[in-house]
Amino acid sequence: MKKHILLIEDEAGLVMTLSDRLRSEGYSVDTAGDGESGLQRALQRDFDLIILDIMLPLRSGLDVCRDLRQRNKQTPVMMLTARGQLVDKVVGLKIGADDYLTKPFEMIELLARVEALLRRAPAGSAAEAPAGEIYRFGNISVDLRQSRVLRGDEVIDLSALEFRLLRYLSNIAA
Ligand code: CA
């Protein structure tokens, strides 16, 4: 059975490239060019995966993701973030995104992550919901109690100030 992907992205060129490629891989693709229509589309039907840009007209990708989770929509979400926006990633994980990809990305990496997310059981995102104060996002985990950020098993150095900022931002995103 064809997997249905919803692509919410406002860059027309990227929408065309991505949807062509995903269709050629056998997926069925719907697109929305702003956060508002993307949210409506995502609520109307059950997609297998949502690829969600953060910087969108009308409603940001972070808002769309948070609204979906608040309405108990557990569709896997892969966020597209701008380079270096660690704060977006942390806020994204806090509000329930399943993975993220930093722009610009290689198509082959996007396809690999799409496959990985689709392979997870439908209950996967719920099963991986944050326990206590540890949040996971792709291979990044953030331990707010121990003030540690890990990529895989490797500790990422963040200054105390950066960590406090992340903690503050993740609290206000809740
Ligand atoms: Ca955008």
Side-chain angles (χ1 to χ4, degrees), residues 27-87:
Y27 299 114
S28 149
V29 183
D30 273 21
T31 63
D34 65 75
E36 189 57 50
S37 62
L39 177 64
Q40 294 315 317
R41 195 75 59 90
L43 290 170
Q44 274 161 15
R45 58 174 297 179
D46 283 321
F47 289 92
D48 296 293
L49 174 69
I50 299 170
I51 301 175
L52 178 59
D53 189 30
I54 287 189
M55 296 289 287
L56 290 170
L58 303 181
R59 190 186 282 262
S60 84
L62 292 172
D63 288 344
V64 172
C65 184
R66 191 196 53 216
D67 288 357
L68 286 174
R69 296 306 186 235
Q70 279 176 352
R71 294 171 198 215
N72 219 11
K73 260 298 198 198
Q74 296 303 327
T75 315
V77 168
M78 182 164 66
M79 292 269 193
L80 303 180
T81 71
R83 184 166 290 287
Q85 297 297 305
L86 180 60
V87 164

Tab-separated table of all heavy atoms in Angstrom, residues 27-87:
chain	number	residue	atom	x	y	z
A	27	TYR	N	5.928	6.962	-3.132
A	27	TYR	CA	5.053	7.552	-2.117
A	27	TYR	C	3.987	8.390	-2.795
A	27	TYR	O	4.174	8.902	-3.888
A	27	TYR	CB	5.858	8.453	-1.171
A	27	TYR	CG	6.944	7.727	-0.422
A	27	TYR	CD1	8.286	8.022	-0.649
A	27	TYR	CD2	6.630	6.746	0.510
A	27	TYR	CE1	9.294	7.363	0.036
A	27	TYR	CE2	7.632	6.074	1.202
A	27	TYR	CZ	8.958	6.386	0.956
A	27	TYR	OH	9.939	5.723	1.643
A	28	SER	N	2.866	8.539	-2.096
A	28	SER	CA	1.861	9.480	-2.541
A	28	SER	C	2.068	10.766	-1.736
A	28	SER	O	2.260	10.717	-0.520
A	28	SER	CB	0.490	8.840	-2.328
A	28	SER	OG	-0.450	9.810	-2.050
A	29	VAL	N	2.108	11.915	-2.425
A	29	VAL	CA	2.509	13.162	-1.769
A	29	VAL	C	1.442	14.235	-1.904
A	29	VAL	O	0.969	14.522	-3.003
A	29	VAL	CB	3.837	13.700	-2.373
A	29	VAL	CG1	4.287	14.960	-1.632
A	29	VAL	CG2	4.930	12.647	-2.332
A	30	ASP	N	1.037	14.817	-0.777
A	30	ASP	CA	0.208	16.022	-0.763
A	30	ASP	C	1.107	17.170	-0.336
A	30	ASP	O	2.031	16.963	0.448
A	30	ASP	CB	-0.908	15.896	0.277
A	30	ASP	CG	-2.140	15.220	-0.299
A	30	ASP	OD1	-1.988	14.512	-1.316
A	30	ASP	OD2	-3.225	15.391	0.272
A	31	THR	N	0.804	18.370	-0.806
A	31	THR	CA	1.634	19.498	-0.387
A	31	THR	C	0.765	20.634	0.132
A	31	THR	O	-0.409	20.764	-0.236
A	31	THR	CB	2.490	20.039	-1.554
A	31	THR	OG1	1.631	20.530	-2.575
A	31	THR	CG2	3.387	18.952	-2.129
A	32	ALA	N	1.351	21.434	1.028
A	32	ALA	CA	0.720	22.663	1.490
A	32	ALA	C	1.820	23.708	1.572
A	32	ALA	O	2.941	23.402	1.978
A	32	ALA	CB	0.058	22.452	2.845
A	33	GLY	N	1.503	24.944	1.183
A	33	GLY	CA	2.522	25.978	1.070
A	33	GLY	C	2.577	26.943	2.235
A	33	GLY	O	3.371	27.884	2.235
A	34	ASP	N	1.711	26.748	3.236
A	34	ASP	CA	1.795	27.585	4.433
A	34	ASP	C	1.326	26.779	5.644
A	34	ASP	O	0.712	25.716	5.501
A	34	ASP	CB	0.972	28.873	4.266
A	34	ASP	CG	-0.511	28.583	4.129
A	34	ASP	OD1	-1.154	28.254	5.144
A	34	ASP	OD2	-1.026	28.668	2.996
A	35	GLY	N	1.607	27.299	6.831
A	35	GLY	CA	1.328	26.563	8.058
A	35	GLY	C	-0.158	26.338	8.308
A	35	GLY	O	-0.565	25.296	8.821
A	36	GLU	N	-0.966	27.317	7.939
A	36	GLU	CA	-2.403	27.222	8.198
A	36	GLU	C	-3.049	26.110	7.364
A	36	GLU	O	-3.744	25.242	7.890
A	36	GLU	CB	-3.054	28.585	7.895
A	36	GLU	CG	-4.492	28.700	8.329
A	36	GLU	CD	-4.699	28.440	9.825
A	36	GLU	OE1	-3.969	29.052	10.635
A	36	GLU	OE2	-5.561	27.617	10.163
A	37	SER	N	-2.815	26.146	6.042
A	37	SER	CA	-3.433	25.105	5.207
A	37	SER	C	-2.790	23.751	5.482
A	37	SER	O	-3.441	22.710	5.390
A	37	SER	CB	-3.362	25.464	3.723
A	37	SER	OG	-2.028	25.566	3.302
A	38	GLY	N	-1.500	23.762	5.861
A	38	GLY	CA	-0.835	22.517	6.219
A	38	GLY	C	-1.479	21.861	7.424
A	38	GLY	O	-1.728	20.656	7.450
A	39	LEU	N	-1.778	22.671	8.440
A	39	LEU	CA	-2.416	22.148	9.649
A	39	LEU	C	-3.798	21.574	9.312
A	39	LEU	O	-4.153	20.472	9.738
A	39	LEU	CB	-2.545	23.259	10.699
A	39	LEU	CG	-3.257	22.858	11.996
A	39	LEU	CD1	-2.474	21.786	12.753
A	39	LEU	CD2	-3.482	24.077	12.885
A	40	GLN	N	-4.569	22.327	8.522
A	40	GLN	CA	-5.915	21.847	8.152
A	40	GLN	C	-5.823	20.511	7.429
A	40	GLN	O	-6.567	19.576	7.711
A	40	GLN	CB	-6.642	22.883	7.272
A	40	GLN	CG	-6.973	24.186	7.992
A	40	GLN	CD	-7.560	23.975	9.386
A	40	GLN	OE1	-8.406	23.103	9.595
A	40	GLN	NE2	-7.080	24.737	10.361
A	41	ARG	N	-4.886	20.435	6.447
A	41	ARG	CA	-4.716	19.205	5.674
A	41	ARG	C	-4.335	18.037	6.596
A	41	ARG	O	-4.873	16.937	6.497
A	41	ARG	CB	-3.615	19.416	4.625
A	41	ARG	CG	-3.550	18.377	3.531
A	41	ARG	CD	-4.660	18.543	2.520
A	41	ARG	NE	-4.597	19.863	1.909
A	41	ARG	CZ	-3.897	20.141	0.802
A	41	ARG	NH1	-3.209	19.205	0.205
A	41	ARG	NH2	-3.902	21.352	0.309
A	42	ALA	N	-3.422	18.320	7.522
A	42	ALA	CA	-2.937	17.259	8.425
A	42	ALA	C	-4.050	16.767	9.347
A	42	ALA	O	-4.051	15.611	9.767
A	42	ALA	CB	-1.765	17.773	9.258
A	43	LEU	N	-4.997	17.657	9.679
A	43	LEU	CA	-6.087	17.262	10.574
A	43	LEU	C	-7.187	16.524	9.822
A	43	LEU	O	-7.919	15.724	10.391
A	43	LEU	CB	-6.682	18.493	11.268
A	43	LEU	CG	-5.790	19.161	12.318
A	43	LEU	CD1	-6.373	20.504	12.748
A	43	LEU	CD2	-5.591	18.251	13.519
A	44	GLN	N	-7.286	16.798	8.505
A	44	GLN	CA	-8.379	16.221	7.713
A	44	GLN	C	-8.230	14.725	7.490
A	44	GLN	O	-9.209	14.014	7.385
A	44	GLN	CB	-8.454	16.901	6.340
A	44	GLN	CG	-9.286	18.169	6.334
A	44	GLN	CD	-8.962	19.046	5.132
A	44	GLN	OE1	-8.330	18.590	4.179
A	44	GLN	NE2	-9.383	20.298	5.187
A	45	ARG	N	-6.985	14.278	7.318
A	45	ARG	CA	-6.824	12.862	7.017
A	45	ARG	C	-5.575	12.314	7.702
A	45	ARG	O	-4.770	13.083	8.205
A	45	ARG	CB	-6.736	12.646	5.506
A	45	ARG	CG	-5.615	13.407	4.839
A	45	ARG	CD	-5.504	13.022	3.403
A	45	ARG	NE	-5.156	11.605	3.278
A	45	ARG	CZ	-5.016	10.989	2.117
A	45	ARG	NH1	-5.232	11.642	1.001
A	45	ARG	NH2	-4.667	9.727	2.065
A	46	ASP	N	-5.459	10.985	7.711
A	46	ASP	CA	-4.318	10.368	8.366
A	46	ASP	C	-3.182	10.147	7.382
A	46	ASP	O	-3.278	9.286	6.510
A	46	ASP	CB	-4.721	9.037	8.994
A	46	ASP	CG	-5.494	9.261	10.288
A	46	ASP	OD1	-5.108	10.185	11.048
A	46	ASP	OD2	-6.470	8.535	10.528
A	47	PHE	N	-2.143	10.929	7.512
A	47	PHE	CA	-0.948	10.711	6.703
A	47	PHE	C	-0.035	9.744	7.452
A	47	PHE	O	-0.150	9.572	8.665
A	47	PHE	CB	-0.227	12.035	6.449
A	47	PHE	CG	-0.976	12.930	5.510
A	47	PHE	CD1	-1.872	13.879	5.993
A	47	PHE	CD2	-0.807	12.814	4.134
A	47	PHE	CE1	-2.586	14.694	5.129
A	47	PHE	CE2	-1.518	13.623	3.262
A	47	PHE	CZ	-2.414	14.566	3.755
A	48	ASP	N	0.887	9.137	6.698
A	48	ASP	CA	1.864	8.259	7.339
A	48	ASP	C	3.039	9.057	7.874
A	48	ASP	O	3.741	8.620	8.781
A	48	ASP	CB	2.355	7.206	6.338
A	48	ASP	CG	1.218	6.287	5.919
A	48	ASP	OD1	0.740	5.529	6.777
A	48	ASP	OD2	0.796	6.352	4.746
A	49	LEU	N	3.252	10.238	7.292
A	49	LEU	CA	4.392	11.066	7.695
A	49	LEU	C	4.135	12.508	7.248
A	49	LEU	O	3.558	12.736	6.188
A	49	LEU	CB	5.670	10.542	7.016
A	49	LEU	CG	6.945	11.372	7.195
A	49	LEU	CD1	7.434	11.315	8.645
A	49	LEU	CD2	8.047	10.864	6.276
A	50	ILE	N	4.582	13.444	8.071
A	50	ILE	CA	4.517	14.859	7.693
A	50	ILE	C	5.939	15.408	7.668
A	50	ILE	O	6.686	15.247	8.641
A	50	ILE	CB	3.659	15.666	8.691
A	50	ILE	CG1	2.225	15.124	8.715
A	50	ILE	CG2	3.673	17.153	8.334
A	50	ILE	CD1	1.365	15.701	9.839
A	51	ILE	N	6.308	16.001	6.545
A	51	ILE	CA	7.588	16.713	6.455
A	51	ILE	C	7.249	18.189	6.600
A	51	ILE	O	6.474	18.733	5.815
A	51	ILE	CB	8.303	16.430	5.111
A	51	ILE	CG1	8.566	14.927	4.961
A	51	ILE	CG2	9.612	17.224	5.029
A	51	ILE	CD1	9.152	14.540	3.605
A	52	LEU	N	7.799	18.800	7.653
A	52	LEU	CA	7.311	20.109	8.075
A	52	LEU	C	8.446	21.116	8.177
A	52	LEU	O	9.325	20.985	9.029
A	52	LEU	CB	6.626	19.917	9.449
A	52	LEU	CG	6.047	21.106	10.172
A	52	LEU	CD1	4.984	21.794	9.338
A	52	LEU	CD2	5.466	20.662	11.514
A	53	ASP	N	8.407	22.123	7.313
A	53	ASP	CA	9.383	23.203	7.401
A	53	ASP	C	9.056	24.061	8.620
A	53	ASP	O	7.892	24.180	9.012
A	53	ASP	CB	9.318	24.045	6.121
A	53	ASP	CG	10.449	25.054	6.034
A	53	ASP	OD1	11.545	24.777	6.572
A	53	ASP	OD2	10.238	26.121	5.431
A	54	ILE	N	10.075	24.665	9.244
A	54	ILE	CA	9.786	25.523	10.404
A	54	ILE	C	9.393	26.929	9.971
A	54	ILE	O	8.409	27.489	10.456
A	54	ILE	CB	10.996	25.554	11.371
A	54	ILE	CG1	11.067	24.210	12.107
A	54	ILE	CG2	10.851	26.701	12.375
A	54	ILE	CD1	12.071	24.159	13.235
A	55	MET	N	10.154	27.497	9.032
A	55	MET	CA	9.863	28.862	8.601
A	55	MET	C	8.787	28.829	7.530
A	55	MET	O	9.069	28.543	6.361
A	55	MET	CB	11.129	29.518	8.041
A	55	MET	CG	12.240	29.680	9.075
A	55	MET	SD	11.857	30.940	10.294
A	55	MET	CE	12.088	32.414	9.289
A	56	LEU	N	7.549	29.112	7.918
A	56	LEU	CA	6.410	29.042	6.996
A	56	LEU	C	5.563	30.300	7.138
A	56	LEU	O	5.486	30.864	8.221
A	56	LEU	CB	5.516	27.850	7.354
A	56	LEU	CG	6.020	26.438	7.100
A	56	LEU	CD1	5.086	25.435	7.757
A	56	LEU	CD2	6.110	26.174	5.597
A	57	PRO	N	4.878	30.700	6.061
A	57	PRO	CA	3.923	31.806	6.196
A	57	PRO	C	2.718	31.401	7.064
A	57	PRO	O	2.398	30.220	7.155
A	57	PRO	CB	3.450	32.060	4.757
A	57	PRO	CG	4.352	31.292	3.873
A	57	PRO	CD	4.950	30.193	4.683
A	58	LEU	N	2.090	32.345	7.689
A	58	LEU	CA	0.835	32.224	8.458
A	58	LEU	C	0.973	31.522	9.813
A	58	LEU	O	0.457	31.988	10.821
A	58	LEU	CB	-0.287	31.556	7.650
A	58	LEU	CG	-0.657	32.236	6.326
A	58	LEU	CD1	-1.794	31.479	5.659
A	58	LEU	CD2	-1.032	33.703	6.536
A	59	ARG	N	1.676	30.380	9.836
A	59	ARG	CA	1.816	29.648	11.092
A	59	ARG	C	3.119	28.868	10.993
A	59	ARG	O	3.327	28.171	10.003
A	59	ARG	CB	0.626	28.699	11.227
A	59	ARG	CG	0.468	28.040	12.570
A	59	ARG	CD	-0.653	27.037	12.488
A	59	ARG	NE	-1.966	27.659	12.536
A	59	ARG	CZ	-2.708	27.745	13.641
A	59	ARG	NH1	-2.268	27.249	14.755
A	59	ARG	NH2	-3.890	28.300	13.605
A	60	SER	N	3.971	28.985	11.990
A	60	SER	CA	5.282	28.337	11.872
A	60	SER	C	5.143	26.828	12.006
A	60	SER	O	4.150	26.317	12.537
A	60	SER	CB	6.235	28.864	12.943
A	60	SER	OG	6.037	28.166	14.155
A	61	GLY	N	6.158	26.120	11.533
A	61	GLY	CA	6.169	24.673	11.647
A	61	GLY	C	6.102	24.215	13.097
A	61	GLY	O	5.505	23.194	13.416
A	62	LEU	N	6.736	24.989	13.998
A	62	LEU	CA	6.686	24.640	15.419
A	62	LEU	C	5.251	24.722	15.928
A	62	LEU	O	4.782	23.855	16.661
A	62	LEU	CB	7.596	25.576	16.231
A	62	LEU	CG	9.104	25.420	15.974
A	62	LEU	CD1	9.885	26.526	16.686
A	62	LEU	CD2	9.610	24.058	16.408
A	63	ASP	N	4.532	25.770	15.523
A	63	ASP	CA	3.124	25.906	15.937
A	63	ASP	C	2.275	24.773	15.376
A	63	ASP	O	1.403	24.240	16.048
A	63	ASP	CB	2.544	27.243	15.454
A	63	ASP	CG	3.108	28.421	16.230
A	63	ASP	OD1	3.685	28.187	17.315
A	63	ASP	OD2	2.974	29.557	15.756
A	64	VAL	N	2.529	24.433	14.098
A	64	VAL	CA	1.755	23.364	13.459
A	64	VAL	C	1.964	22.059	14.224
A	64	VAL	O	1.004	21.357	14.570
A	64	VAL	CB	2.166	23.190	11.980
A	64	VAL	CG1	1.503	21.940	11.380
A	64	VAL	CG2	1.793	24.431	11.168
A	65	CYS	N	3.218	21.749	14.538
A	65	CYS	CA	3.527	20.502	15.244
A	65	CYS	C	2.873	20.492	16.621
A	65	CYS	O	2.236	19.509	17.019
A	65	CYS	CB	5.035	20.332	15.360
A	65	CYS	SG	5.520	18.772	16.109
A	66	ARG	N	2.996	21.589	17.347
A	66	ARG	CA	2.403	21.662	18.686
A	66	ARG	C	0.875	21.501	18.621
A	66	ARG	O	0.283	20.763	19.393
A	66	ARG	CB	2.760	22.995	19.344
A	66	ARG	CG	2.414	23.072	20.818
A	66	ARG	CD	2.433	24.498	21.312
A	66	ARG	NE	1.588	25.304	20.441
A	66	ARG	CZ	1.845	26.568	20.108
A	66	ARG	NH1	2.899	27.183	20.566
A	66	ARG	NH2	1.025	27.227	19.298
A	67	ASP	N	0.244	22.162	17.643
A	67	ASP	CA	-1.216	22.062	17.514
A	67	ASP	C	-1.644	20.631	17.195
A	67	ASP	O	-2.639	20.138	17.719
A	67	ASP	CB	-1.725	23.008	16.422
A	67	ASP	CG	-1.644	24.466	16.853
A	67	ASP	OD1	-1.245	24.712	18.015
A	67	ASP	OD2	-1.969	25.347	16.045
A	68	LEU	N	-0.870	19.966	16.330
A	68	LEU	CA	-1.209	18.572	15.992
A	68	LEU	C	-1.154	17.693	17.239
A	68	LEU	O	-2.065	16.902	17.497
A	68	LEU	CB	-0.237	18.018	14.948
A	68	LEU	CG	-0.402	18.530	13.525
A	68	LEU	CD1	0.729	18.008	12.649
A	68	LEU	CD2	-1.756	18.107	12.956
A	69	ARG	N	-0.081	17.846	18.011
A	69	ARG	CA	0.072	17.003	19.201
A	69	ARG	C	-0.991	17.337	20.234
A	69	ARG	O	-1.499	16.451	20.918
A	69	ARG	CB	1.471	17.169	19.798
A	69	ARG	CG	2.610	16.693	18.884
A	69	ARG	CD	2.434	15.258	18.397
A	69	ARG	NE	3.593	14.786	17.647
A	69	ARG	CZ	3.541	14.297	16.418
A	69	ARG	NH1	2.380	14.208	15.775
A	69	ARG	NH2	4.637	13.882	15.805
A	70	GLN	N	-1.318	18.623	20.361
A	70	GLN	CA	-2.356	19.007	21.326
A	70	GLN	C	-3.700	18.405	20.939
A	70	GLN	O	-4.545	18.150	21.785
A	70	GLN	CB	-2.459	20.530	21.433
A	70	GLN	CG	-1.384	21.100	22.344
A	70	GLN	CD	-1.385	22.608	22.406
A	70	GLN	OE1	-2.110	23.272	21.648
A	70	GLN	NE2	-0.584	23.175	23.286
A	71	ARG	N	-3.902	18.214	19.631
A	71	ARG	CA	-5.159	17.588	19.189
A	71	ARG	C	-5.010	16.085	19.080
A	71	ARG	O	-5.805	15.424	18.418
A	71	ARG	CB	-5.581	18.176	17.849
A	71	ARG	CG	-5.939	19.642	17.979
A	71	ARG	CD	-6.142	20.251	16.615
A	71	ARG	NE	-6.055	21.684	16.681
A	71	ARG	CZ	-6.782	22.493	15.946
A	71	ARG	NH1	-7.654	22.014	15.094
A	71	ARG	NH2	-6.637	23.790	16.050
A	72	ASN	N	-3.930	15.578	19.685
A	72	ASN	CA	-3.710	14.145	19.757
A	72	ASN	C	-3.471	13.484	18.410
A	72	ASN	O	-3.752	12.306	18.228
A	72	ASN	CB	-4.881	13.479	20.482
A	72	ASN	CG	-4.375	12.372	21.389
A	72	ASN	OD1	-3.154	12.258	21.613
A	72	ASN	ND2	-5.274	11.552	21.877
A	73	LYS	N	-2.983	14.245	17.437
A	73	LYS	CA	-2.576	13.681	16.154
A	73	LYS	C	-1.143	13.196	16.307
A	73	LYS	O	-0.240	14.001	16.531
A	73	LYS	CB	-2.594	14.767	15.080
A	73	LYS	CG	-3.803	14.802	14.168
A	73	LYS	CD	-3.986	13.559	13.352
A	73	LYS	CE	-4.910	13.838	12.172
A	73	LYS	NZ	-5.472	12.643	11.573
A	74	GLN	N	-0.910	11.884	16.206
A	74	GLN	CA	0.418	11.349	16.471
A	74	GLN	C	1.193	10.997	15.192
A	74	GLN	O	2.153	10.237	15.237
A	74	GLN	CB	0.324	10.128	17.397
A	74	GLN	CG	-0.228	10.458	18.781
A	74	GLN	CD	0.573	11.534	19.515
A	74	GLN	OE1	1.782	11.641	19.369
A	74	GLN	NE2	-0.115	12.369	20.285
A	75	THR	N	0.756	11.541	14.046
A	75	THR	CA	1.481	11.318	12.797
A	75	THR	C	2.957	11.668	12.981
A	75	THR	O	3.266	12.732	13.526
A	75	THR	CB	0.915	12.239	11.686
A	75	THR	OG1	-0.503	12.203	11.741
A	75	THR	CG2	1.406	11.821	10.314
A	76	PRO	N	3.881	10.772	12.555
A	76	PRO	CA	5.301	11.140	12.660
A	76	PRO	C	5.603	12.450	11.916
A	76	PRO	O	5.087	12.672	10.824
A	76	PRO	CB	6.021	9.966	11.986
A	76	PRO	CG	5.072	8.836	12.025
A	76	PRO	CD	3.692	9.444	11.987
A	77	VAL	N	6.391	13.305	12.548
A	77	VAL	CA	6.740	14.599	11.961
A	77	VAL	C	8.248	14.700	11.821
A	77	VAL	O	8.984	14.473	12.791
A	77	VAL	CB	6.228	15.770	12.833
A	77	VAL	CG1	6.833	17.097	12.379
A	77	VAL	CG2	4.707	15.853	12.803
A	78	MET	N	8.708	15.019	10.612
A	78	MET	CA	10.110	15.360	10.414
A	78	MET	C	10.198	16.847	10.106
A	78	MET	O	9.626	17.330	9.142
A	78	MET	CB	10.739	14.564	9.277
A	78	MET	CG	12.220	14.920	9.138
A	78	MET	SD	13.121	13.737	8.152
A	78	MET	CE	12.341	14.033	6.577
A	79	MET	N	10.912	17.569	10.969
A	79	MET	CA	11.065	19.006	10.807
A	79	MET	C	12.225	19.331	9.875
A	79	MET	O	13.263	18.663	9.915
A	79	MET	CB	11.414	19.638	12.156
A	79	MET	CG	10.321	19.586	13.161
A	79	MET	SD	9.363	21.087	13.004
A	79	MET	CE	8.407	20.978	14.500
A	80	LEU	N	12.067	20.370	9.102
A	80	LEU	CA	13.172	20.919	8.320
A	80	LEU	C	13.611	22.206	8.993
A	80	LEU	O	12.810	23.115	9.178
A	80	LEU	CB	12.733	21.191	6.882
A	80	LEU	CG	12.173	19.997	6.103
A	80	LEU	CD1	11.773	20.433	4.682
A	80	LEU	CD2	13.179	18.849	6.041
A	81	THR	N	14.867	22.258	9.422
A	81	THR	CA	15.348	23.437	10.145
A	81	THR	C	16.466	24.116	9.363
A	81	THR	O	17.116	23.486	8.535
A	81	THR	CB	15.908	23.062	11.531
A	81	THR	OG1	17.149	22.359	11.354
A	81	THR	CG2	14.946	22.183	12.295
A	82	ALA	N	16.663	25.388	9.663
A	82	ALA	CA	17.783	26.100	9.059
A	82	ALA	C	19.069	25.723	9.783
A	82	ALA	O	19.046	25.324	10.946
A	82	ALA	CB	17.545	27.598	9.143
A	83	ARG	N	20.182	25.823	9.083
A	83	ARG	CA	21.471	25.453	9.665
A	83	ARG	C	21.720	26.207	10.965
A	83	ARG	O	21.500	27.407	11.052
A	83	ARG	CB	22.578	25.769	8.659
A	83	ARG	CG	23.948	25.321	9.129
A	83	ARG	CD	24.957	25.344	7.986
A	83	ARG	NE	24.699	24.305	6.987
A	83	ARG	CZ	24.924	23.006	7.182
A	83	ARG	NH1	25.389	22.584	8.334
A	83	ARG	NH2	24.680	22.136	6.233
A	84	GLY	N	22.191	25.465	11.980
A	84	GLY	CA	22.605	26.106	13.220
A	84	GLY	C	21.484	26.474	14.169
A	84	GLY	O	21.743	27.028	15.228
A	85	GLN	N	20.236	26.158	13.820
A	85	GLN	CA	19.136	26.535	14.709
A	85	GLN	C	18.892	25.453	15.755
A	85	GLN	O	17.857	24.798	15.767
A	85	GLN	CB	17.853	26.776	13.897
A	85	GLN	CG	17.976	27.930	12.925
A	85	GLN	CD	18.209	29.244	13.641
A	85	GLN	OE1	17.438	29.628	14.511
A	85	GLN	NE2	19.285	29.938	13.286
A	86	LEU	N	19.893	25.265	16.658
A	86	LEU	CA	19.768	24.236	17.684
A	86	LEU	C	18.532	24.475	18.552
A	86	LEU	O	17.844	23.553	18.962
A	86	LEU	CB	21.026	24.193	18.557
A	86	LEU	CG	21.009	23.141	19.674
A	86	LEU	CD1	20.848	21.739	19.111
A	86	LEU	CD2	22.269	23.231	20.517
A	87	VAL	N	18.253	25.747	18.795
A	87	VAL	CA	17.093	26.080	19.621
A	87	VAL	C	15.808	25.553	18.988
A	87	VAL	O	14.968	24.959	19.658
A	87	VAL	CB	17.031	27.605	19.847
A	87	VAL	CG1	15.667	28.023	20.352
A	87	VAL	CG2	18.118	28.024	20.843
